Amino acid sequence: MANTLNRRNWIKSSALMAGGLALASGTINKLAAMPVVNKSRLITNFEAEREIMANAAPGLKARLFFNENPFGPSPAAKKAIIDSLDLSYQYIFPQIRQLSSKIAAYEGIQQNNVMLSAGSSALLEAAALHYCKGGKTVITGETSYDDLPSHAVRGGGKWVKVPLTKDYKLDLDAIEAKIDDNTGIIYICNPNNPTATVVDTDKLKAFCERVSKKTMVFVDEAYIDYLPDPKSTTLMANVKAGQNIIVSRTFSKLYGFAGLRCGYIVAQPETISALSLYTNADANLSSATVAAAIAAYQETDFLKDALAKTLASRDFLYATLKKEGYDYIPSSANFVMFPLKMDGQKFVGEMMKRGVGVRNWKMNGTDWCRVSIGRMDEMEAFAEAFKQLS
Ligand SMILES: Cc1ncc(COP(=O)(O)O)c(C=O)c1O
């Protein structure tokens, strides 16, 4: 864990050293405005994930811990990376504009509603630090993705956790009931990580319309591309309607860019300028990544193909679990949660010994496993190892 935090600080300080001479004074002011973060150690699933990532053995038969897409990036994205190399000595402001205008045109919003970053994580962090400063609270589901609330707590904020419904969905009514004068932000992960459940779209839209009059709502749509019709589920229309909400997206999942690092938020322009005090946002993007993202954005054939392969692997996993007598939560994303019949850590360790990386969770006092959906050969490796343990 210490490594994780140290690595983060190291990245920040070396970026400062490397960029020191070239930093515009505006950037220096932004960095000076960053709050002092309380670095108390916090053991969360998010930090555990970082730790596992850092130590993941190379050469695993199946890398099923991080909800990555092994079918990406697309051939067009790879070609764009290679083509971008000759001019990679140049800064890329026009290309960043080109990418954000492509996103804005597709979503029917203005370019000043879009904030890009090297992955969406930095934007989750910025929102946590801004909206929870001064001891404000973040309200989340329990269990949900804990990156944003972890940063909130590190920044001195408080974290209010609201149990999921019986069918493992975010309980919007219970979340709304927790709002008080000290609420800084509500974090809604839809589809939710790690349960892979979605909330009813109309209900979420109405929730955001109401609640955003009292507090900021952050809707994390990292996995929305795995739904049959993301356009009908997204909360972009609520941003367009001028509401006080932030919608985040990432290229790390269906686009297969987890290592390339590209994500963005869509929000009101004043929200974006407030968050720009906490992050260098698009200044951290590389020319290779931006070129790849321009080539890959809404590349329908590739996305459909990656989705079809993911769903085939997911069906295979469902069949494997059923065959071995296990239940699972039906998934709306590229991962599946199922309850274990043994200690979670022991299970993960035994699977790892067999070359299969998966994650474990404690939820409602039960041990659960989260399996990311990989290539079919990876799912077969999972099935083979699982049979030996079930
Ligand atoms: C729900 C959710 N949001 C955000 C992220 C962060 O993604 P990235 O920083 O790669 O864009 C993840 C990563 O797994 C995630 O699961």
Side-chain angles (χ1 to χ4, degrees), residues 46 49-50 53 66-67 118-122 124 145 147 187 189-193 220-223 248-253 257-258 261-264 335 370:
F46 171 69
E49 187 150 273
R50 294 282 166 118
M53 277 183 195
F66 306 129
N67 302 344
S120 59
S121 298
L124 271 72
Y145 189 60
D147 183 358
Y187 174 72
C189 187
N190 193 49
N192 187 41
N193 182 8
D220 186 336
E221 297 187 348
Y223 297 98
S248 70
R249 293 280 184 82
T250 181
F251 283 74
S252 295
K253 305 303 169 182
F257 275 46
R261 312 298 301 133
C262 188
Y264 58 97
F335 51 92
R370 191 195 71 185

Side-chain angles (χ1 to χ4, degrees), residues 151-291:
H151 286 303
V153 172
R154 278 201 204 95
K158 297 188 185 75
W159 181 357
V160 173
K161 301 175 188 182
V162 177
L164 300 181
T165 60
K166 283 201 182 74
D167 50 356
Y168 306 104
K169 295 184 181 181
L170 295 174
D171 190 336
L172 295 179
D173 296 333
I175 289 174
E176 191 168 351
K178 289 282 180 197
I179 299 172
D180 64 19
D181 290 346
N182 200 40
T183 305
I185 190 166
I186 293 177
Y187 174 72
I188 302 290
C189 187
N190 193 49
N192 187 41
N193 182 8
T195 54
T197 49
V198 274
V199 289
D200 178 80
T201 306
D202 289 340
K203 191 163 183 177
L204 181 58
K205 284 185 175 166
F207 168 93
C208 285
E209 188 175 357
R210 244 183 354 263
V211 163
S212 64
K213 292 181 184 132
K214 300 184 219 159
T215 185
M216 176 55 76
V217 186
F218 192 112
V219 184
D220 186 336
E221 297 187 348
Y223 297 98
I224 200 161
D225 299 312
Y226 289 95
L227 294 174
D229 182 12
K231 272 253 176 196
S232 72
T233 311
T234 179
L235 268 281
M236 290 288 177
N238 291 53
V239 179
K240 242 186 278 181
Q243 292 169 22
N244 196 24
I245 79 164
I246 300 171
V247 173
S248 70
R249 293 280 184 82
T250 181
F251 283 74
S252 295
K253 305 303 169 182
L254 191 59
Y255 287 86
F257 275 46
L260 283 167
R261 312 298 301 133
C262 188
Y264 58 97
I265 53 168
V266 171
Q268 306 311 322
E270 51 279 15
T271 302
I272 287 175
S273 35
L275 295 189
S276 69
L277 292 173
Y278 301 82
T279 170
N280 282 334
D282 58 22
N284 290 331
L285 281 158
S286 74
S287 54
T289 293
V290 173

Side-chain angles (χ1 to χ4, degrees), residues 5 8-9 12 34-40 125 129 150-156 278:
L5 295 177
R8 207 175 283 146
N9 292 339
K12 269 191 187 150
M34 288 172 92
V36 178
V37 172
N38 167 12
K39 298 202 186 67
S40 64
E125 178 179 14
L129 296 178
S150 304
H151 286 303
V153 172
R154 278 201 204 95
Y278 301 82

